[in-house]
Structure formats: structure tokens, C-alpha cells
Amino acid sequence: MIENVLKELNQIIAKITLKDFRFILGIKLSDNLFKIISYYDSKLKNYDIAMENMYFSVEDKFKESHFNIVKYEESINKHFFEGIENYFAIGELIKFRNKDLGFIYFIVDQAEGKNAIMNVKKIINENAKQILSILLDIKDDYLKEYAVEQNINSLLYILKAHDAYTYYHSLRISELSLLIAENLKLDQKDVEKLFYASLIHDFGEIWIPKSILQKSGKLTPSEIEEVKKHTYKLDFLFAGNDYFSEYVEIAKFHHEFLDGSGYNKRMNNEIPFLSRILAVAEVTDALLSNRPWRKALSMEEAIKVLSNMAKIGKLDKDVVDIVIKIIPEFYGGLYQTHTLKYKDIYLSLDVNNQKTLVEAKVIDAKKDYITLYVATEEVEVNGNIINISNEYLTIDKYFDLEYYVNNMPINTKCKVVGRNKLGYVAKIDRSVKDDENVSIKWNLTGIGIPLKKVIFVNKYVWRLDNEKAFKAHIETISNKNIVFYALKEKIDSMAETKMVINFEAFSVKVNLIGEIINKQEIFTGYYHCDFRVGEITDEEYYKLLQVIELRMQQIKSIK
């Protein structure tokens, strides 16, 4: 399909006599929301894949009259003008049976003047049927992709509200499944099916009470049966939605074993191959994740369990062999995903000289461009209501984006370059480098000691509150932060967010001072905490880096 589209577009582009131009063809998805099918740049003499599939809106001028001109200063899609601010855009809605089907942009040098307009008009008129044919041929595929992505995006956030652990588990499973598929060199269509299936595989858990999902003790037989229901609830959830049928057929068998001992007693060839991959990913993540009733296994222990399950015929050996190779990188903190979609995202704005975090949602991410929905247009700072949309998120304004990758905090500078029906289009500024992060996933037990303010010689000083010390179950260590979980009651009893964490690894004792900057109740009765390392001595920082490096070397040797 794509090859045929490119062939037809190349025939049209070959007829364009303009010296310097950009040609953008988009298909309409909904009211004033379009998606780029192709973006041709004459300077590249090729298609700019960084811009493909991005969402955009159409300027009002283009709706009111044909072949109007929009300049850089007037455009709501300034990312189309990247590096060519002295150009202007000419646009034309493509209609079919009096309904908007797509849109064409031509961006040309202002020096071309009226000749450019006449040239573009001629090209569109002469090739109207061909352009219309292209849009009609691909319309259904693009509408399906849009519907699938947005439905999954919405349902994932419902799942997160119901059970945060399952939400993060689903994200890990999707990334792990993709890595497995990549190593197996699967066909691209199968990779796509597996990805969507892995994202939806636990949506049926919305029907399972949270009291069961997060129970710290052993489940009763009736509770186990309640848990098993989540696999076939997928059929119920997506009944009548044919877009998801092929993904459901993969996802609902993620608890099947080859020997027939799984939830639905399916065996061997009765289990689709993509479901077998999902089953291996499911078991792998379950073994290596902390749960209310048990601690995560070490990577070494998990690999032994997986190998044995393949040996006795429960899991597909070929898939297990692949995942064993992936585990040290993926669960060791060595693998860094660049996917921003579905992650916890915050805009960090300097509002009246005060750092303000605003929750956001990534609707779409393509290369350096992201489309963000921002939760609110107004924030309250020191008693004042500030409209961030008008003052801090206008076109060409910069902001910081904060998010987590493998529990490691990332801070990235972005620039607002567009607006559309979904929200803001931002471009990541790659010229601004974040400080180097060295991160490792690691199950360790440490001690957290809150700090409290006490008056000393007419001023406040910090003292250790040893009476409120608690056990911190460490999951990830980096040179910037420690991610741990601890009893909610212990964290809530802290008078301040500042604390000390100490732990021992490889006979090295590490003591860190800092503060909890984020906490979330992923398990009932436990907080998942992000402890940001503060000012520490060079000696302590060296010890921190030393144990991380030693663990990295240890992980790399795991087989």
C-alpha cells in the first residue's frame, strides 16, 4: 500500500517546477484534525520521515478561501516551517462528495511570489483525481490506526486509576514483547499485532476488585477463579469493535502454557505463536516485579525458573532463549526506551519564579516531535490564578518536560511549535543535554531515616529522626535518584520530605541525603517513592558510582 502511494506521489512531485518547496499531504481524521501521510522536502530530495504521521490542524484562512497565503507568524503549524521562516504556505482542502477528505500544504519561498500560487493551483487541478484516489485508498487504514491508538490510550489511563501496578506492568510487557519480536525478526504486521495485544492484555483486570489484585496474603480458590476471568473479559470489553478482534485473539491467551496447565487449558498448536511470546513476557515480568505478597526474584533466579519452565514444556523454548538474553539489558537498567507515549509526563514551568509541575498526557510521539494534552489551562501560584495556556505555552515558548524512563528521572527542554485539536505540538531540543544518568535496577534493602527541623541558636537545623526510621525496599539506583517502596504509614508520618537512605552492596556502605520528590500508592499500604539525591560529599558520590558499576559488570556476565 505505502509503496503504491509513494509511487503516485513521486509522479506528482516530479511535475512541480518550484526550486525550493515542501509538499505535505494529510488525511482528515476528525473535525479539524489531520494526519500527515507524506512530507516531501525538496532540499532533502526525499521524504522527511521525522514528520510522517504527525497530527496537525488547518488554519482558518485555508477554510475560508482557496489558495490563501499563511506566513510563518500566522501559522499554527510552525513545525512545517522548520528552518525556513521566510517562506509562506498555500493550502487546499481536498473534498469528496462535499466532505473534507484531506489537505495539501505547499510551503514555498516568498521570492517565488504569485508564480508559486499559479504553479501550485495548476498542479492540484491537474492531479486532483490522483490525489483523491490516494486518500480514498488509505483512508480506512489511517482511521483504524487512529481509533486503535486513542482507544488504548484512554483505556490505559482507566486501568492506571484502577490498579497502578497493572498499568506499569502493561507498559513493560509491551516494550519487552517488542524486543523479543525484534530478536525473532518477525514480520512488521506481526510486530504491530503483538504490540497492541500486549498493551491490552490485562484490561480485563478492571473487573477484578482491587482488594484481590493487591491482596498481601494467599488467594482463596474463589479469588483465583475471579482473577482468571480477566482473560475472557477482553472479548466482552471489545465486543462489536472489530478493530481490536485480532489483538484480543492474541492477548486473551497470555496465561496459557504449552502443556495445557494454563487458564483455558489450551495446548501446543492451540496457542497462537504471538500469544506464546506474550506468555513468556508475562511470566518474565511477574518474576522480576515486586508484588504485595512477595519480593521480586533476582535476575539470576528468574532465568533459572524460565529455563526450567521451557525444559518441562510449559513455555516456548525458542522464545525463552531470546528473553534470557534480553533480561540483563531490559531489567538491569541498561536498556533505555525512547518511547514517551503512555508515560507519566509533567510540564515543569517557571511560574512567577516558582517551579510548577503540570500533569500532561502524550497523545503521540514521532522522533523529536510530541503532541501533548495538558490537564489544565490554569494554575494557582501564591494565591494567584495564572493562565499557562496564554502565558507559558504559546507558539515558540520553551518549557521543561519531566518524565521517567526505567524509574530514572529525565528532564528535557521543549519548544511549542504548533497547536491542534488534541493539544500542543512540541519539539524536543536535542541541543540541550541532560546531565549524564547512570541507572541500574536492583533489589536491595536499605534504611530510610527522616530528617526533622529543630531549633538551634535561633535557627533551624536538620537532625536525624531515628525513631521514625523504616525499611526501604530499593528497586532502582542511579547517580541522581533512588526508587524504593516502603510502608505508607511510615512515609506519611514524616514531618518533612527530606531524609537519609543508607544501604550496603559489595561490602560498600553508602549514605545519601536528599528528599522524596514523588510518591505513588502502587500497592495498597505501600508508597512507591522517588528519592532525589541532594548535596553529598565526593566520597559518597564515588561510592554510589562504584556500586552501580560493580552491579553493571555483574549483570553483563549473567547468562
Side-chain angles (χ1 to χ4, degrees):
M1 179 70 78
I2 297 299
E3 291 180 2
N4 292 336
V5 169
L6 290 177
K7 184 177 179 180
E8 291 189 59
L9 285 175
N10 284 333
Q11 292 174 358
I12 297 172
I13 290 167
K15 300 174 185 177
I16 301 174
T17 59
L18 300 172
K19 293 181 180 178
D20 190 1
F21 67 94
R22 295 184 180 188
F23 169 82
I24 301 127
L25 180 63
I27 192 160
K28 184 174 181 179
L29 298 174
S30 62
D31 184 32
N32 198 29
L33 183 66
F34 296 76
K35 198 168 191 177
I36 297 175
I37 293 170
S38 63
Y39 187 105
Y40 184 86
D41 189 333
S42 65
K43 285 187 176 179
L44 296 176
K45 295 183 179 179
N46 207 340
Y47 297 91
D48 187 347
I49 59 173
M51 302 291 284
E52 285 180 7
N53 294 314
M54 283 184 59
Y55 300 110
F56 68 95
S57 292
V58 169
E59 276 85 5
D60 290 336
K61 275 190 176 184
F62 291 139
K63 299 174 187 175
E64 294 165 4
S65 62
H66 302 312
F67 301 105
N68 215 320
I69 290 176
V70 169
K71 295 182 179 179
Y72 173 80
E73 295 79 11
E74 302 169 326
S75 179
I76 59 173
N77 300 300
K78 289 194 177 181
H79 45 301
F80 288 168
F81 290 83
E82 188 71 33
I84 48 174
E85 288 81 0
N86 60 328
Y87 284 51
F88 64 83
I90 308 164
E92 169 77 351
L93 282 163
I94 306 299
K95 293 181 177 289
F96 179 66
R97 294 179 179 173
N98 294 322
K99 290 185 179 180
D100 298 338
L101 183 63
F103 192 81
I104 288 182
Y105 264 104
F106 276 89
I107 300 178
V108 296
D109 194 330
Q110 291 182 16
E112 297 274 2
K114 291 183 179 179
N115 291 333
I117 298 175
M118 298 305 295
N119 188 300
V120 169
K121 186 174 182 178
K122 181 182 177 183
I123 291 165
I124 292 176
N125 288 336
E126 288 179 350
N127 298 277
K129 287 184 179 180
Q130 194 171 1
I131 294 168
L132 185 61
S133 175
I134 291 171
L135 294 176
L136 288 172
D137 283 345
I138 63 174
K139 176 173 69 73
D140 289 343
D141 289 338
Y142 275 82
L143 289 176
K144 175 185 176 179
E145 181 186 23
Y146 176 66
V148 167
E149 287 184 353
Q150 298 315 317
N151 275 320
I152 289 177
N153 208 343
S154 299
L155 287 168
L156 271 171
Y157 278 86
I158 294 173
L159 181 64
K160 182 181 179 183
H162 178 63
D163 184 56
Y165 167 80
T166 306
Y167 164 80
Y168 291 112
H169 162 76
S170 299
L171 298 189
R172 290 194 300 272
I173 289 290
S174 67
E175 292 182 358
L176 179 59
S177 296
L178 280 181
L179 272 178
I180 295 172
E182 182 181 299
N183 279 270
L184 288 170
K185 295 180 172 53
L186 296 188
D187 178 84
Q188 187 58 40
K189 287 186 177 180
D190 284 339
V191 172
E192 181 183 288
K193 289 178 186 177
L194 180 61
F195 176 68
Y196 287 135
S198 61
L199 285 172
I200 71 169
H201 82 283
D202 270 344
F203 280 0
E205 290 194 5
I206 293 170
W207 277 272
I208 303 174
K210 201 169 183 177
S211 59
I212 295 178
L213 287 174
Q214 298 195 0
K215 186 177 178 179
S216 57
K218 187 177 180 180
L219 295 180
T220 65
S222 62
E223 287 172 335
I224 292 172
E225 291 305 311
E226 194 70 27
V227 170
K228 287 183 178 181
K229 290 180 182 179
H230 81 275
T231 55
Y232 64 78
K233 279 291 186 180
L234 283 173
D235 279 321
F236 183 84
L237 179 62
F238 291 106
N241 188 338
D242 194 49
Y243 283 165
F244 281 85
S245 59
E246 58 186 344
Y247 312 135
V248 170
E249 282 303 305
I250 299 165
K252 69 183 182 182
F253 299 124
H254 68 276
H255 280 295
E256 298 307 304
F257 296 129
L258 300 181
D259 63 356
S261 62
Y263 282 11
N264 296 291
K265 311 303 179 187
R266 288 214 168 195
M267 297 181 65
N268 296 314
N269 294 333
E270 294 177 319
I271 306 169
F273 181 63
L274 296 181
S275 299
R276 297 185 190 195
I277 295 174
L278 195 50
V280 172
E282 173 71 25
V283 173
T284 302
D285 195 68
L287 293 173
L288 288 161
S289 298
N290 289 305
R291 300 301 284 126
W293 59 88
R294 60 143 177 84
K295 288 186 66 176
L297 271 62
S298 69
M299 280 178 264
E300 294 88 341
E301 292 169 330
I303 286 172
K304 288 180 181 178
V305 172
L306 287 164
S307 296
N308 185 59
M309 291 182 76
K311 185 178 180 180
I312 63 176
K314 280 187 173 292
L315 296 176
D316 189 299
K317 186 180 184 303
D318 291 337
V319 180
V320 169
D321 288 344
I322 293 293
V323 86
I324 286 174
K325 293 177 183 177
I326 293 172
I327 282 174
E329 178 185 14
F330 188 84
Y331 288 96
L334 308 178
Y335 167 78
Q336 297 298 330
T337 175
H338 298 289
T339 305
L340 292 178
K341 204 168 183 180
Y342 314 126
K343 288 186 168 56
D344 293 326
I345 299 281
Y346 296 91
L347 307 187
S348 178
L349 306 174
D350 184 10
V351 180
N352 294 344
N353 296 318
Q354 182 172 320
K355 180 181 177 179
T356 304
L357 292 180
V358 180
E359 187 178 11
K361 178 179 176 182
V362 175
I363 304 297
D364 200 51
K366 296 288 187 298
K367 299 291 184 179
D368 291 344
Y369 293 94
I370 53 176
T371 299
L372 291 166
Y373 170 79
V374 180
T376 180
E377 291 190 349
E378 295 180 335
V379 296
E380 183 177 346
V381 177
N382 298 327
N384 298 317
I385 303 298
I386 310 295
N387 188 307
I388 58 173
S389 179
N390 293 337
E391 298 187 37
Y392 294 90
L393 296 175
T394 54
I395 304 292
D396 292 336
K397 285 289 182 80
Y398 283 88
F399 63 87
D400 287 330
L401 195 70
E402 291 194 1
Y403 58 98
Y404 288 81
V405 172
N406 291 339
N407 292 328
M408 183 175 68
I410 305 292
N411 191 288
T412 302
K413 187 165 286 296
C414 297
K415 179 183 179 182
V416 180
V417 294
R419 292 288 301 268
N420 59 44
K421 187 183 176 184
L422 300 175
Y424 301 89
V425 181
K427 186 178 184 184
I428 298 172
D429 189 347
R430 299 293 182 189
S431 65
V432 180
K433 298 291 185 183
D434 190 24
D435 294 338
E436 184 178 0
N437 290 291
V438 183
S439 173
I440 200 80
K441 182 175 170 62
W442 204 351
N443 287 312
L444 288 173
T445 299
I447 301 296
I449 308 172
L451 293 174
K452 61 181 178 180
K453 286 180 179 179
V454 296
I455 299 176
F456 181 75
V457 192
N458 297 323
K459 66 178 183 179
Y460 286 108
V461 295
W462 294 97
R463 290 284 187 264
L464 292 171
D465 194 353
N466 290 300
E467 292 183 356
K468 292 186 177 180
F470 58 87
K471 187 178 291 186
H473 302 279
I474 297 170
E475 292 186 337
T476 305
I477 298 176
S478 82
N479 58 325
K480 289 188 173 184
N481 76 320
I482 305 290
V483 175
F484 68 91
Y485 69 95
L487 285 169
K488 181 181 177 183
E489 61 187 56
K490 296 291 186 181
I491 303 298
D492 285 341
S493 70
M494 293 172 57
E496 306 287 344
T497 57
K498 290 184 179 295
M499 61 177 288
V500 169
I501 281 186
N502 58 62
F503 63 91
E504 183 174 346
F506 298 107
S507 300
V508 178
K509 293 181 179 179
V510 181
N511 294 280
L512 305 171
I513 186 169
E515 66 177 313
I516 296 174
I517 64 164
N518 190 23
K519 61 184 180 182
Q520 185 175 9
E521 190 177 2
I522 291 183
F523 309 142
T524 300
Y526 285 89
Y527 275 137
H528 208 243
C529 302
D530 179 2
F531 169 84
R532 190 68 55 91
V533 177
E535 293 294 327
I536 58 174
T537 64
D538 290 344
E539 180 183 359
E540 286 301 322
Y541 189 67
Y542 171 75
K543 287 196 290 185
L544 178 61
L545 292 179
Q546 182 184 15
V547 296
I548 291 173
E549 178 61 28
L550 287 170
R551 179 56 178 162
M552 281 185 170
Q553 294 304 320
Q554 190 179 56
I555 287 171
K556 289 176 182 178
S557 67
I558 294 175
K559 295 181 181 179

